[in-house]
Amino acid sequence: MPCLLVLALSLWGGNRKILRIACTSSIVKSAKHTRLHGHITAENVTAPLGCIHAAFIFVMTMYTQLYNRLSFGWNTVKIDMSAARRDPLPLIPFGLAAFAATLFALGLALGTTIAVGMLFFIQMKIILRNKTSIESWIEEKAKDRIQYYQLDEVFVFPYDMGSRWKNFKQVFTWSGVPEGDGLAWPIREGCHQYDLTIEQLKQKADKRVRSVRYRVIEDYSGACCPLNKGIKTFFTSPCTEEPRIRLQRGEFILATRGLRYWLYGDKILDDSFVEGVSRIRGWFPRNCVEKCPCDAETDQAPEGEKKNR
């Protein structure tokens, strides 16, 4: 039984490392772009299977050990953990400590099965689409840009081969090494190797054009959840790792996107800032700024604000 407990603990600790590696691999160029992606996905299958097997052993151990220790009375159930009511006595003693350890190991095994199993489905979704979550976000913004300007163009994601089976074969190969040399990758017919990069440059240019200029009318300390900016601002603070920026009255901000009570933008720097600081950007409360009168003609909402309302 202690061996099974160590097995479950090792599986749990080992897969925390797998989880970190897989999450890191999701931010690379594409799902096929890491040599370890296929191996990590295979481990995400074998780890839940091993934990299911361990959980089955734990359940059967507790069942067989407790079956002859149960006594039923009138509206009562008692468990005698001192010894089994059979002759001869079991070779392996099963007391209260062993029962608690087995129950704890069962919880670890089930938790690992659920967590790593969900990670496996996420990884397979990325592989079959040949598209990471970041690339999906870029594709969504490309469609929004085309629809916003009513352009006569269609953005096709270049690394999706158009077939899940073809995408699958790019990661899982007989040699264990995915297709591609690290710089150039197989692309869909009719697409260019740098279509995704060109689209990102277009989105950056569009972001600068659609930015709105604001003037700071109230100081802001840069706190994550400011108490002095209103209850709604406090409870609707963006749940993101992006920074907050400190504001002083009279400064100017170029807002590029926002929520109902928060905006995200770049501070317009002047010569008074320290040399070497190129950009200061982050989130800040909407009620700390006002739109500049000179930008009245650009009255559209910052990019992404319509969706977040």
Side-chain angles (χ1 to χ4, degrees):
M1 202 282 300
C3 296
L4 298 177
L5 176 59
V6 172
L7 171 63
L9 289 172
S10 62
L11 287 173
W12 177 260
N15 282 286
R16 290 175 61 186
K17 181 178 180 181
I18 296 172
L19 179 62
R20 291 194 297 269
I21 296 174
C23 291
T24 304
S25 67
S26 65
I27 64 173
V28 295
K29 180 64 177 172
S30 182
K32 62 181 182 299
H33 290 189
T34 170
R35 290 177 174 269
L36 297 178
H37 198 89
H39 300 290
I40 293 174
T41 306
E43 291 175 358
N44 291 341
V45 178
T46 56
L49 291 178
C51 290
I52 291 174
H53 178 254
F56 176 78
I57 295 176
F58 296 150
V59 171
M60 295 304 299
T61 300
M62 290 190 292
Y63 173 77
T64 54
Q65 293 291 338
L66 296 178
Y67 181 77
N68 291 326
R69 302 169 188 258
L70 294 175
S71 60
F72 298 91
W74 185 255
N75 293 331
T76 60
V77 178
K78 295 182 179 181
I79 303 178
D80 182 12
M81 299 298 296
S82 59
R85 295 174 182 172
R86 62 187 179 187
D87 193 23
L89 295 176
L91 296 177
I92 301 177
F94 191 81
L96 186 60
F99 174 76
T102 305
L103 194 61
F104 178 71
L106 176 62
L108 293 181
L110 294 178
T112 304
T113 301
I114 296 173
V116 183
M118 293 178 61
L119 180 60
F120 166 73
F121 284 109
I122 294 174
Q123 295 285 70
M124 286 303 302
K125 181 180 178 181
I126 292 174
I127 291 174
L128 295 178
R129 297 170 59 192
N130 221 353
K131 188 186 309 178
T132 64
S133 55
I134 296 178
E135 292 171 340
S136 299
W137 182 50
I138 296 173
E139 184 180 25
E140 182 181 354
K141 290 200 301 181
K143 295 178 181 178
D144 291 341
R145 181 184 63 83
I146 294 173
Q147 183 179 5
Y148 181 84
Y149 291 106
Q150 300 295 321
L151 301 177
D152 188 17
E153 63 180 80
V154 178
F155 175 75
V156 179
F157 187 74
Y159 299 107
D160 184 1
M161 306 305 293
S163 169
R164 294 187 176 183
W165 174 243
K166 292 181 180 180
N167 295 336
F168 181 85
K169 289 193 300 181
Q170 286 189 3
V171 178
F172 295 98
T173 60
W174 290 109
S175 62
V177 179
E179 299 181 8
D181 57 1
L183 297 176
W185 306 97
I187 58 175
R188 192 167 183 171
E189 185 178 356
C191 295
H192 191 268
Q193 187 70 237
Y194 300 103
D195 279 350
L196 189 64
T197 303
I198 294 172
E199 175 58 34
Q200 288 180 278
L201 294 176
K202 291 181 180 179
Q203 293 178 10
K204 291 292 184 182
D206 178 58
K207 189 176 183 179
R208 290 191 294 268
V209 170
R210 296 171 62 177
S211 60
V212 181
R213 186 173 180 176
Y214 287 86
R215 183 171 63 89
V216 180
I217 60 175
E218 185 177 342
D219 293 344
Y220 168 56
S221 63
C224 181
C225 298
L227 294 173
N228 58 344
K229 303 302 179 184
I231 298 298
K232 294 182 178 179
T233 302
F234 175 81
F235 285 105
T236 58
S237 179
C239 297
T240 174
E241 295 182 357
E242 293 173 317
R244 275 67 169 169
I245 57 175
R246 181 177 300 179
L247 302 179
Q248 293 182 355
R249 185 176 300 179
E251 294 179 332
F252 292 93
I253 302 288
L254 282 178
T256 56
R257 53 190 169 96
L259 304 173
R260 188 170 184 178
Y261 298 101
W262 290 80
L263 292 173
Y264 183 90
D266 290 74
K267 185 180 294 188
I268 300 177
L269 305 179
D270 52 24
D271 297 336
S272 63
F273 283 88
V274 180
E275 185 177 346
V277 179
S278 58
R279 300 181 68 180
I280 299 178
R281 54 181 175 174
W283 290 94
F284 53 91
R286 183 186 288 270
N287 54 13
C288 292
V289 296
E290 66 176 4
K291 188 177 298 184
C292 293
C294 58
D295 293 340
E297 64 274 9
T298 59
D299 197 24
Q300 71 270 21
E303 181 182 354
E305 182 177 353
K306 298 179 182 177
K307 298 180 181 179
N308 296 314
R309 281 186 173 178

